[in-house]
Amino acid sequence: MSDVPATRKTALLVVYFMEDKDIDVLDLHLAAVRRHTADQDYTILAVANRVSPFIRARLAKEPRLELVDIPAVEVTGSEEHSHYLDALSRHAVAQGYSHIVTYDCDAFPVRDGWLAELLDMLDAETPVVAVFRAENGDTWLPHPLMTCFSTAFYRQHAFSFFPDAATQASPEFRGFIQQTRQIVDSGIGLGYYLHRAGIKWRRLLRSNRVNDHYLLAGIYHDLVFHLGSMSRAAKIYRLDRLRDWRIRAVSLFRYYVYDPPKDSWVRRLTDLVEQPALASLARRNARTYAQIRDALTRDAEAYIRRLRGV
């Protein structure tokens, strides 16, 4: 039996982290949601605490978008992102939405009917549907670039997208990380909750026929496109570090042998090995990202068709 009520009212939760130069990607994101979700009852519930007045004004003009006033937090990165998703989820429940779909600000749907198909995937056995980035080495992470569940499920389970410090220090959480070998990232709190409660979730896998990068420019289940890395300054990823022997050797040395103080000669020596490798990876990925972004913003539909192999 489908976990979809007769009347569906969906909250798309988006945390906007971007600079003014990203306005072209923002316009693509908003236009695609508007175009491919026109037949559904939805509202974008947005947090935009760390954007300029220019970006905020653009968001304020978007129909079916509500800027939600949530106090800023001091944490950054995955923890900050997850904190705002938690607050937006509570807001969606309070406002009477039937379903929640999280979205990244550099992601957007690629075809009509995506939301209805996503909601129809929910059922009693798999009450959560989420993007799963196996290509990133993930093993148990419902990625919030697109995660879907009902507000009834959220009210019943009241999970957090990112665990608090006490939970992270607990033997149960450490055992979960050791067992799954999942890297801590946005959404890990939900992954931990599902694992601990024995709740199944449906994984939406990368469906590209053509890949310009193993992680960037991904299409998932032919529903959503994710540019990736828009807010990341140094574009270095987990598998990059694992695949480069110099970075891997230094990491293993620091983990198993000795983690030297930052001002020691041993640290300076290992930095001489590691830093050129990191810089090379960052330059290579920055070039690839620039090429992908140029193709996307020049003609998004043509670029998406090419990735789909059409």
Side-chain angles (χ1 to χ4, degrees):
M1 182 177 178
S2 175
D3 184 23
V4 180
T7 302
R8 305 196 294 201
K9 181 182 177 184
T10 304
L12 306 183
L13 312 186
V14 187
V15 182
Y16 289 94
F17 296 121
M18 56 179 52
E19 300 176 17
D20 289 358
K21 63 181 177 60
D22 301 318
I23 188 66
D24 49 0
V25 177
L26 175 61
D27 285 337
L28 279 174
H29 158 87
L30 294 172
V33 172
R34 201 184 318 123
R35 172 186 174 186
H36 294 301
T37 326
D39 63 334
Q40 298 291 311
D41 184 1
Y42 79 93
T43 301
I44 299 174
L45 302 183
V47 171
N49 285 356
R50 287 206 290 114
V51 299
S52 70
F54 171 67
I55 295 293
R56 192 173 177 87
R58 170 65 187 88
L59 292 169
K61 292 191 299 184
E62 182 67 18
R64 302 173 79 167
L65 185 150
E66 177 191 349
L67 282 165
V68 183
D69 185 16
I70 297 173
V73 290
E74 294 183 0
V75 295
T76 59
S78 301
E79 191 171 354
E80 179 187 14
H81 185 202
S82 298
H83 170 82
Y84 291 136
L85 290 178
D86 287 345
L88 287 173
S89 296
R90 293 190 294 269
H91 181 75
V93 169
Q95 294 299 310
Y97 288 90
S98 65
H99 290 85
I100 289 171
V101 176
T102 67
Y103 238 100
D104 274 4
C105 61
D106 59 349
F108 53 82
V110 296
R111 61 179 172 84
D112 294 348
W114 73 274
L115 182 54
E117 182 174 336
L118 186 65
L119 297 180
D120 287 343
M121 293 179 193
L122 298 173
D123 56 34
E125 186 176 359
T126 53
V128 175
V129 177
V131 161
F132 178 64
R133 298 197 303 175
E135 68 276 15
N136 190 46
D138 289 340
T139 61
W140 196 275
L141 183 74
H143 200 286
L145 79 88
M146 193 167 76
T147 295
C148 176
F149 48 88
S150 70
T151 51
F153 177 83
Y154 185 79
R155 284 195 304 270
Q156 180 182 354
H157 299 281
F159 59 85
S160 175
F161 281 92
F162 200 91
D164 58 25
T167 300
Q168 290 185 64
S170 68
E172 293 82 7
F173 185 79
R174 293 199 303 268
F176 160 71
I177 294 299
Q178 184 176 18
Q179 179 182 347
T180 63
R181 298 187 179 277
Q182 174 60 54
I183 295 298
V184 174
D185 199 353
S186 297
I188 190 65
L190 172 57
Y192 171 57
Y193 182 87
L194 296 174
H195 187 271
R196 190 176 182 188
I199 298 173
K200 295 181 181 179
W201 57 286
R202 178 163 180 169
R203 295 159 172 78
L204 305 181
L205 302 177
R206 189 178 181 105
S207 56
N208 296 47
R209 295 294 183 89
V210 175
N211 287 285
D212 289 335
H213 186 268
Y214 74 89
L215 184 60
L216 303 175
I219 298 174
Y220 295 88
H221 204 76
D222 199 40
L223 294 179
V224 58
F225 169 84
H226 184 225
L227 171 59
S229 201
M230 189 170 71
S231 62
R232 183 191 290 255
K235 302 189 187 306
I236 303 171
Y237 313 106
R238 179 189 178 196
L239 291 190
D240 290 337
R241 294 175 178 272
L242 293 176
R243 290 168 176 170
D244 190 288
W245 69 268
R246 295 163 295 179
I247 299 171
R248 187 169 175 81
V250 169
S251 296
L252 291 173
F253 174 79
R254 290 175 179 168
Y255 186 80
Y256 289 107
V257 182
Y258 177 54
D259 188 12
K262 290 186 177 181
D263 58 349
S264 68
W265 69 267
V266 180
R267 170 69 68 164
R268 291 194 292 272
L269 182 62
T270 54
D271 283 349
L272 285 175
V273 176
E274 183 184 49
Q275 292 305 316
L278 290 172
S280 176
L281 283 171
R283 287 193 300 269
R284 185 186 69 194
N285 284 334
R287 286 194 299 269
T288 301
Y289 174 83
Q291 292 165 357
I292 289 171
R293 182 176 168 135
D294 178 66
L296 177 69
T297 55
R298 191 174 349 107
D299 190 337
E301 291 188 13
Y303 184 63
I304 297 300
R305 285 197 301 270
R306 188 175 75 80
L307 295 182
R308 293 161 109 181
V310 177

